[in-house]
Amino acid sequence: MRVLNQLSQNSYEPISRELHEYLAIACRHHYRVLVELKEGGQFAALALMIRINQHHGEFLCLGFAEAVREVRLDRIRAITPLKLGAELTRLVLSPDDTVLLNTEYAG
């Protein structure tokens, strides 16, 4: 698996439990999601699973047509399910990654 964005020399900053729950639902349903990165840029992919690496943090595994790739969870700015009728809506993290904003469960 290829890591989408390079790991910086910064240590991993754990994400909130609420984001984990949100990502778990997206992965369980294999939602196609729009991922927005803190460093800029965005892309659409299938949410597959969360992988833990004890030395580098936690990663969202994403399915693309050509491969499975990973993005470190603390690099994600926002995630939006692209499926109509998805259980979840757009999730936006605050700049300090500790407060969840604009998160709603549609179900």
Side-chain angles (χ1 to χ4, degrees):
M1 285 187 247
R2 183 175 155 232
V3 177
L4 281 175
N5 44 336
Q6 297 291 9
L7 295 177
S8 72
Q9 294 181 3
N10 298 338
S11 62
Y12 176 70
E13 297 178 31
I15 63 166
S16 70
R17 193 178 115 218
E18 291 86 359
L19 180 56
H20 261 284
E21 292 171 5
Y22 184 93
L23 292 174
I25 292 169
C27 292
R28 184 171 51 246
H29 294 291
H30 292 274
Y31 284 148
R32 185 164 176 76
V33 294
L34 178 67
V35 178
E36 300 169 49
L37 301 175
K38 289 181 181 179
E39 295 87 11
Q42 62 184 22
F43 53 86
L46 291 178
L48 300 175
M49 65 180 279
I50 296 171
R51 184 180 72 79
I52 299 170
N53 179 308
Q54 292 180 344
H55 303 289
H56 299 292
E58 299 170 288
F59 296 83
L60 178 60
C61 298
L62 299 160
F64 293 86
E66 72 281 2
V68 172
R69 297 187 180 150
E70 300 176 340
V71 63
R72 206 167 85 173
L73 298 186
D74 64 346
R75 304 302 170 98
I76 297 172
R77 171 77 177 118
I79 291 186
T80 306
L82 299 175
K83 179 183 175 184
L84 289 175
E87 288 182 42
L88 307 165
T89 61
R90 186 169 190 255
L91 173 74
V92 178
L93 299 175
S94 68
D96 67 3
D97 291 338
T98 59
V99 179
L100 295 176
L101 305 173
N102 194 26
T103 304
E104 300 176 16
Y105 287 88

